[in-house]
């Protein structure tokens, strides 16, 4: 299944855009490949900088706190921590992307969360020249991913299941 098909699968409430967003992950290279999170452009509502965060005591390690945006209190999630990656030492979060999705508990209601963005965020046409990494669908679901793709000789694309993340599903790095 291609990246475009995976992006469309499970996001029926999103628009039919063919653009994607690549967010460079703040993790060490995997198999000498840079790691990127890949999302549908329709999932990204806004990007904010300098948002004050309030820590939440006793929350999972991947939940860095909550932030206020347009009258809403939104959870701030580190995908690197959620998926159990060891972060790059010198990485500093510069901004957050406001991502919209649904949750398992309320599949018809849009939920928003803030995703940490340490490096760059790129919008580009859907990628067709990538190769799926052979991982069983059950293993992907257990990891909270919809897909893993090799792109070129030096990039690895991870497609997180934002619905699972927003639902507080099975996180590796809790």
């Amino acid at each position: 299944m291609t990246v475009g098909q995976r992006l469309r699968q499970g996001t029926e409430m999103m628009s039919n855009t063919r653009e994607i967003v690549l967010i460079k992950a703040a993790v060490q290279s995997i198999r000498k490949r840079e790691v990127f999170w890949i999302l549908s452009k329709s999932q990204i509502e806004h990007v904010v900088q300098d948002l004050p965060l309030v820590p939440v005591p006793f929350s999972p390690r991947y939940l860095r706190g909550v932030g206020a945006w347009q009258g809403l209190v939104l959870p701030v999630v580190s995908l690197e921590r959620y998926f159990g990656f060891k972060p790059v030492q010198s990485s500093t979060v510069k901004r957050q992307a406001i991502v919209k999705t649904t949750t398992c508990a309320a599949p018809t209601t849009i939920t928003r969360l803030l995703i940490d963005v340490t490096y760059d965020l790129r919008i580009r046409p859907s990628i067709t020249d990538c190769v799926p990494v052979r991982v069983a669908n059950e293993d992907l679901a257990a990891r909270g991913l919809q897909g893993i793709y090799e792109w070129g000789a030096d990039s690895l694309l991870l497609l997180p299941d934002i619905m699972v993340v927003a639902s507080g599903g099975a996180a590796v790095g809790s």
Side-chain angles (χ1 to χ4, degrees):
M1 190 173 286
T2 69
V3 172
Q5 290 169 327
R6 288 279 187 178
L7 284 170
R8 285 188 292 279
Q9 179 185 358
T11 57
E12 294 81 280
M13 53 77 144
M14 304 298 170
S15 68
N16 289 331
T17 182
R18 295 193 187 269
E19 291 183 310
I20 59 166
V21 175
L22 293 174
I23 301 173
K24 186 173 181 326
V27 300
Q28 298 290 331
S29 296
I30 298 175
R31 297 182 183 166
K32 298 181 182 180
R33 294 175 184 265
E34 280 190 294
V35 179
F36 293 87
W37 304 111
I38 182 171
L39 299 169
S40 168
K41 182 182 173 196
S42 64
Q43 290 178 288
I44 306 293
E45 190 163 3
H46 202 68
V47 177
V48 294
Q49 281 186 241
D50 303 321
L51 188 69
L53 303 182
V54 177
V56 178
F58 310 110
S59 64
R61 200 171 81 79
Y62 65 87
L63 183 66
R64 292 201 324 112
V66 293
W69 177 74
Q70 294 189 353
L72 300 171
V73 176
L74 304 176
V76 181
V77 173
S78 165
L79 290 177
E80 290 82 0
R81 288 181 181 177
Y82 182 89
F83 289 102
F85 288 113
K86 188 174 184 178
V88 175
Q89 287 288 32
S90 62
S91 62
T92 303
V93 175
K94 296 181 180 174
R95 55 192 158 272
Q96 282 85 28
I98 299 165
V99 178
K100 59 186 176 180
T101 186
T102 60
T103 62
C104 298
T108 59
T109 304
I110 291 181
T111 300
R112 292 172 178 84
L113 58 144
L114 294 154
I115 301 290
D116 285 339
V117 177
T118 302
Y119 296 110
D120 58 347
L121 184 138
R122 294 185 241 165
I123 298 172
R124 56 168 290 128
S126 187
I127 298 171
T128 57
D129 59 337
C130 60
V131 179
V133 173
R134 297 204 187 280
V135 178
N137 285 340
E138 302 81 38
D139 290 339
L140 286 173
R143 295 177 184 179
L145 292 169
Q146 291 184 326
I148 303 172
Y149 303 89
E150 293 178 340
W151 181 38
D154 60 355
S155 298
L156 191 64
L157 308 178
L158 303 178
L159 179 57
D161 190 336
I162 297 298
M163 179 188 278
V164 171
V165 174
S167 299
V172 177
S174 302

